[in-house]
Amino acid sequence: MDELHVDTLLLSVGADLPWLTGYEAMPLERLTMLVVPREATATLVVARLEAPRVREEPEVFSLRAWEETEDPVGIVAGLIPSSARTVAVGDQTWARFVLELQRERPALQWHRGAEITAPLRMVKDAAEIDALASAAHAVDEVAVAMRERPFAGRTEAEVSREIIERMLALGHERANFAIVAAGPNGASPHHDAGDRRIAEGDVVLCDFGGTMAGYCSDITRMYAVGEPVGEVRDTYAVLMEAQERAVQAAQVGVACAEVDRVARSVIAAAGFGDRFIHRTGHGIGVDAHEDPYLVAGNDLPLQPGHAFSVEPGIYLPNRFGLRLEDIVVATADGPERLNHAPRDLAVVG
Amino acid sequence: MDELHVDTLLLSVGADLPWLTGYEAMPLERLTMLVVPREATATLVVARLEAPRVREEPEVFSLRAWEETEDPVGIVAGLIPSSARTVAVGDQTWARFVLELQRERPALQWHRGAEITAPLRMVKDAAEIDALASAAHAVDEVAVAMRERPFAGRTEAEVSREIIERMLALGHERANFAIVAAGPNGASPHHDAGDRRIAEGDVVLCDFGGTMAGYCSDITRMYAVGEPVGEVRDTYAVLMEAQERAVQAAQVGVACAEVDRVARSVIAAAGFGDRFIHRTGHGIGVDAHEDPYLVAGNDLPLQPGHAFSVEPGIYLPNRFGLRLEDIVVATADGPERLNHAPRDLAVVG
């Protein structure tokens, strides 16, 4: 905050608050906000009916519970020191509260909270990497188990439900998503698992993740129902090569954009340049998507402790889509994959 | 928008966008935003990889898919007419996008999107009331089924999980919450179902709801493990009376605050005035909580089609908590409850 000349940091919904305090704001119309002045004690402003859920930490913050007839925005505005000129507010804070605070304190300059929290959250310590590895290990087990399960005749939604149940059974407290996209649906990278009944000959993209002990998992594996045709095998070989080369490129000191460029160049060389329609990866931690992003234009050099997905894809509209994703940590000894489930195209029934 | 002199409406994450267009923005760092100028065609700005999920409606909006290397904030800023002076932005839009848009278009005045959408969403039409009634009927069935289920010996989390599974099995596409709070935990109105093992003598508060065909359910029922002691029965009788009187007060033309006052006066007369620590209710529709709020200070008169919870509670710290909740619709013929599960204190094993 000193470096960025931010006088007060305001955190509400989103991962910054639990990452700092262990308390997660409910995404509701009742404002929860941690007010962190640069040179005074922090205060957690929370509705009185939520207050019993807060584990108080007098060393870290004091509690200001508001009654239903009080105005929490006015309370927060009053806790921002009158001398403050610049505040930063958590990225996912609801717009209505920002606008209401701007009305109460019109002279303040506003910054994104991520300017302060992202550089801190981005570099994971050993305990955080352990947590990411445990979550990765659990989804590896799910990915392996699915190799022995029937796909043909079940709907995407049914397979998605099974994946969610397996993640929960293996220790995730929350399933964040379980994309199951069969045949042509695979060409929509964020397809909602739906009523399509999976059939012989389908290539099925499964991309799933959740939260375990506060840290996120995220993995994509491909399943072919019956022996895949040569074109699918050949395209998948290109993708595996692109992913492997991108992982190996993720050395400390290399720019995020360079990892993206490496993946893209392999895919482009095979003639699929315009079929890889998203960035190569995203950071991961207490949020499923966070800094650093592996995307063209991001010159940030990788540092030891950066954790991110490497997930190139090839999408052929109306036909099929392929993606392969692992979580990777940058270390002084080179990139380390946290996912170890087999990366080949699994043939299932 | 004419009445409020708003030149452009901006909608992103939250219920306004699916309510208007059927498309729900993913709560991700990739901006999705519907730009609705007062006098021009609307445009949905969406990441290219999300675009295949959009069902295009050329009559309603045109699509502007952005590439990973483009700046979506700049695209939105460019779609706000240069003549615009006032914009309104959806309440739950991420703060980072509001701040970035304010930087791009510093002369604009900003309003809450709810100023435009809440008055429209608040009054439900017949199809919306049918949808709320169907969702209410499903959670009624869950509440009834739980009367025959064992509680003693199971953890709160296990009972919560069963309630979630039952909601999904009965047609909810999403479970939004399933509070199970036993014994002293009931005194925390938003307690997270946890490891506490439910025991003989516990009074258990179950407050659960989800989304079914796009509309929300929300119900609270109380379960006593074994015959409750007289104090629990007596306190619950006060609560039932307060809830019944508040429901009957919810006549068209009556102020929201008056319904709250009626519930509160019954509880206060019994000596528990300071133990009812939240408002009496919230509106419900595509959001679990939305306008109108039944709270002191809200002078809004009820209109036919307003749908809301009536849920007084009495919370005795370190001992137990009680709440009773139904969804009610204001009609010209008087208040109509949508929930019909028995309201007595169920005695379970």
Side-chain angles (χ1 to χ4, degrees), chain B residues 78-156:
Chain B
L79 286 166
I80 302 170
S82 53
S83 61
R85 294 168 57 187
T86 303
V87 296
V89 64
D91 274 23
Q92 299 181 28
T93 304
W94 285 14
R96 62 167 286 191
F97 297 122
V98 174
L99 298 177
E100 289 170 351
L101 283 165
Q102 287 179 334
R103 200 154 292 185
E104 297 258 350
R105 294 291 300 266
L108 291 171
Q109 286 214 307
W110 291 76
H111 287 257
R112 284 181 56 186
E115 293 174 27
I116 292 166
T117 59
L120 302 173
R121 280 176 45 189
M122 200 159 34
V123 178
K124 273 72 182 177
D125 65 22
E128 291 183 292
I129 291 170
D130 280 352
L132 287 168
S134 297
H137 183 71
V139 291
D140 278 346
E141 274 196 59
V142 177
V144 168
M146 295 311 291
R147 295 169 70 97
E148 307 300 327
R149 298 283 298 140
F151 278 68
R154 301 167 72 195
T155 65
E156 294 170 341

Side-chain angles (χ1 to χ4, degrees), chain B residues 4 70 73 75 83 91 120 123 142 151 162 236 265 272 286 341:
Chain B
L4 297 166
E70 285 189 291
V73 169
I75 293 169
S83 61
D91 274 23
L120 302 173
V123 178
V142 177
F151 278 68
E162 176 180 343
Y236 192 70
S265 67
F272 297 112
V286 289

Side-chain angles (χ1 to χ4, degrees), chain A residues 46 72 85 104 145 149-150 160 201 241 247 267 269 275 282:
Chain A
V46 66
R85 293 168 57 187
E104 296 258 350
R149 298 284 298 140
S160 175
E241 168 77 8
V247 170
I267 291 171
R275 300 304 182 196
H282 54 79

Side-chain angles (χ1 to χ4, degrees), chain A residues 222 232-250 258-272 276 280 310-314 322-326 337 343-345:
Chain A
M222 297 297 314
V232 168
R233 283 223 175 273
D234 294 347
T235 312
Y236 192 71
V238 171
L239 185 66
M240 281 187 77
E241 168 77 8
Q243 204 250 10
E244 172 66 22
R245 294 263 300 278
V247 170
Q248 294 315 322
E258 172 63 11
V259 181
D260 181 82
R261 194 198 60 74
V262 167
R264 211 162 292 280
S265 68
V266 175
I267 291 171
F272 297 112
F276 175 19
T280 293
V310 177
E311 51 175 315
I314 299 174
L322 304 172
R323 181 159 71 245
L324 177 62
E325 173 183 27
D326 290 310
R337 278 188 169 99
R343 283 176 202 92
D344 62 320
L345 182 57

